[in-house]
Amino acid sequence: MPLSTRPPVRAGRRLVLAGALALTATLALAAPAAAHAEVEADKPQALAENVTLSFVSEAESGSAGFTNLRVVLPEGIAPADIALDEGPKGWKLTAAADGYTLAGPALRTGVDAEYKIKVRQLPDVKELVFKTVETYSDGEVSRWIELPTGGKEPEQPAPVLKLKAAAPGAKRVDASPTATPSPTPSAAAPATAGTPDASPKADDMAGDEDDGMSTSALVAVIVLALLVLGGGAWWLAKRGSSGSSDPSGPSGSSDSSGSSGGS
């Protein structure tokens, strides 16, 4: 009577399952931090006036808090056309040639930087990009300035606001003659020593070099390892199945001789 093939096949399945679980756990650990810089609007429509933009920079440092946010405004929004509506206590908005800097006393570690600005009018475009550079109290810098290229999603995407088409009859209002950014409504406080005097310029908004293996390369290595693991499991199952069903094995010879002796 041939041996059952279930134990080797079952062992092979267990090995493949273990490999899949290991891959899932490794991918979870290898995934980049879920932190993002994001923007929303109360009126996300082209040529909308007096729009409130809400920004969130999610904290990703485990040892320091935010002290400085540098934002480059998209074309069609001038620094003179914005004002700080809400922000962290003691933080001030300072206009720059191409955008603004929001800075103040360091936030607690792990606390997101949330603030709102008022925009006089949005331009007549489909989307707005707000490249953002974040600085922590320990000097760490995080750049959310990348845009999708060639259909590939960036690892540190810039905040993008999608706009609906302009309302019928909407027109571009005259540009503001002069305007200065308003300080935060809360009591202003002097910037701490951790707040840099000179904020990063637009020309400095280049991505940091990755330390070590990139995420895509790591995933490729993991997938290759899983394929090798699955091939080994298939070979073990195949070998066990073939060995147990071989009629020329010792079990087959014993049955044959026993049958001859009986006859």
Side-chain angles (χ1 to χ4, degrees):
M1 178 180 180
L3 297 176
S4 172
T5 61
R6 289 185 179 180
V9 173
R10 190 174 299 171
R13 290 176 179 172
R14 289 175 180 172
L15 191 57
V16 173
L17 178 60
L21 292 175
L23 175 63
T24 302
T26 306
L27 288 176
L29 294 175
H36 285 85
E38 300 175 344
V39 59
E40 295 181 350
D42 61 344
K43 292 181 285 186
Q45 186 173 24
L47 296 180
E49 299 181 44
N50 299 318
V51 179
T52 298
L53 300 181
S54 301
F55 291 84
V56 177
S57 285
E58 298 180 0
E60 57 183 341
S61 173
S63 60
F66 288 116
T67 60
N68 183 297
L69 302 176
R70 171 76 168 94
V71 177
V72 173
L73 289 170
E75 186 177 355
I77 300 180
D81 292 332
I82 68 167
L84 182 62
D85 187 41
E86 295 180 16
K89 185 176 181 180
W91 282 42
K92 295 181 179 180
L93 187 148
T94 304
D98 57 354
Y100 61 88
T101 296
L102 186 64
L107 302 183
R108 294 193 309 273
T109 301
V111 174
D112 297 342
E114 302 183 32
Y115 68 97
K116 298 180 180 180
I117 63 171
K118 282 281 190 180
V119 181
R120 190 165 182 263
Q121 186 181 33
L122 299 181
D124 190 6
V125 295
K126 294 182 178 180
E127 64 179 28
L128 298 170
V129 178
F130 298 85
K131 294 184 178 182
T132 302
V133 174
E134 308 164 345
T135 303
Y136 292 85
S137 58
D138 61 356
E140 179 183 349
V141 175
S142 182
R143 296 178 173 88
W144 298 93
I145 62 174
E146 300 176 2
L147 296 176
T149 55
K152 181 181 180 182
E153 289 297 325
E155 293 186 1
Q156 289 188 294
V160 176
L161 178 64
K162 303 287 186 180
L163 299 181
K164 296 183 292 185
K171 296 181 180 180
R172 181 70 182 174
V173 299
D174 295 335
S176 304
T178 56
T180 54
S182 303
T184 177
S186 57
T192 61
T195 304
D197 294 332
S199 58
K201 299 179 181 179
D203 294 340
D204 298 331
M205 290 194 169
D208 295 328
E209 295 183 0
D210 293 333
D211 295 329
M213 186 180 298
S214 66
T215 302
S216 58
L218 181 57
V219 171
V221 172
I222 295 172
V223 171
L224 180 60
L226 183 59
L227 290 175
V228 173
L229 184 62
W234 176 86
W235 180 82
L236 288 176
K238 182 74 174 179
R239 182 182 179 188
S241 176
S242 300
S244 60
S245 60
D246 187 358
S248 62
S251 176
S253 299
S254 176
D255 291 343
S256 176
S257 60
S259 177
S260 300
S263 59

